[in-house]
Amino acid sequence: MSGGLVVRSVGRRALLVELPDAERTGALHAELLRRRAAGTLPPVAEIVPGARTVLLDGVPEPASLARRLADWDVPLAPPADGDVVTVPVVYDGPDLADVAALWGVAEDEVGALHSSYTYRVAFCGFAPGFGYLTGLPEELHVPRRATPRTRVPAGSVALAGPYSAVYPRATPGGWQIIGTMPDPSVLWDPARERAALLSPGVRVRYQLLSRGSAPDPAPQSPEGLGLPGARGTS
């Protein structure tokens, strides 16, 4: 694991660990959380994963922790299973035909294919509550749109590169939109103890809905799933 790992100081009490790929980033993030839960990690206030980085903030002795990180041997094992958040989707997006063509399937097959996988939140960013979900096989990765939209509606379910995501609010964006989550308000709720529903490590399943149908009564909130203490959060 130490091969290709670079640890940089950020201010006086933070470290930024740079890694060569997303797989090693996920493995290090999971190991940090495991060691913190076991009480074998030095004090760290925040552990924040990115695409190829992990930020450790609030570190009383960053130089000492940096030396320890350089010597870690973190196995590239699959992350432990945690709870699953269900995201209902009506597959009616404006880029559905383009994605179907890229995948070599009919338009009405996109939803069944996209919802057949279990995803995991690799990291969050771009907008509050926006989680970057991994889990699509490489042959289903799609490019961003050549021309970004000036406004992507809240609840849009979209694809870009290796990631799937749901827009928690209306913003500009260049992802390929394949569907709509009927009620995206659950994705980000500042009044909730944990505002973001989709935090790093959480698993996600998309539930295919037909137009006008209601989602199954599966829990879609951290409280309903018991997620405040779930593995994979930071």
Side-chain angles (χ1 to χ4, degrees):
M1 179 71 184
S2 58
L5 181 152
V6 177
V7 184
R8 303 185 188 278
S9 296
V10 180
R12 296 181 178 179
R13 295 171 61 86
L15 297 170
L16 184 68
V17 185
E18 299 178 352
L19 299 112
D21 54 45
E23 185 181 15
R24 287 172 174 78
T25 301
L28 177 62
H29 179 234
E31 182 67 9
L32 286 164
L33 295 175
R34 187 191 68 78
R35 295 194 184 200
R36 184 166 69 175
T40 59
L41 182 71
V44 175
E46 297 286 344
I47 302 173
V48 184
R52 295 186 179 181
T53 62
V54 179
L55 175 70
L56 295 92
D57 193 17
V59 183
E61 298 182 8
S64 174
L65 181 54
R67 289 191 295 269
R68 292 182 60 175
L69 287 170
D71 294 332
W72 276 14
D73 182 17
V74 180
L76 293 177
D81 288 342
D83 292 298
V84 178
V85 172
T86 300
V87 174
V89 183
V90 177
Y91 286 90
D92 59 356
D95 299 317
L96 197 63
D98 291 339
V99 171
L102 289 167
W103 287 0
V105 300
E107 286 186 41
D108 59 5
E109 294 180 76
V110 171
L113 190 55
H114 180 252
S115 61
S116 68
Y117 299 97
T118 298
Y119 300 81
R120 188 178 297 272
V121 183
F123 59 96
C124 298
F126 174 62
F130 190 101
Y132 290 75
L133 278 57
T134 58
L136 271 180
E138 187 173 357
E139 63 270 20
L140 299 184
H141 295 179
V142 300
R144 293 169 58 93
R145 286 173 49 83
T147 303
R149 293 181 170 90
T150 57
R151 184 181 185 278
V152 175
S156 294
V157 176
L159 307 172
Y163 301 115
S164 179
V166 188
Y167 282 73
R169 61 175 62 180
T171 66
W175 291 35
Q176 307 274 5
I177 303 173
I178 59 173
T180 305
M181 180 182 183
D183 179 15
S185 63
V186 71
L187 295 172
W188 178 256
D189 182 0
R192 197 166 53 206
E193 180 180 351
R194 199 185 72 196
L197 177 65
L198 305 181
S199 58
V202 170
R203 294 190 299 157
V204 177
R205 289 300 304 263
Y206 291 103
Q207 176 196 349
L208 191 159
L209 297 181
S210 58
R211 292 176 184 270
S213 64
D216 290 340
Q220 297 177 40
S221 68
E223 292 80 1
L225 288 166
L227 286 177
R231 292 167 294 185
T233 60
S234 60

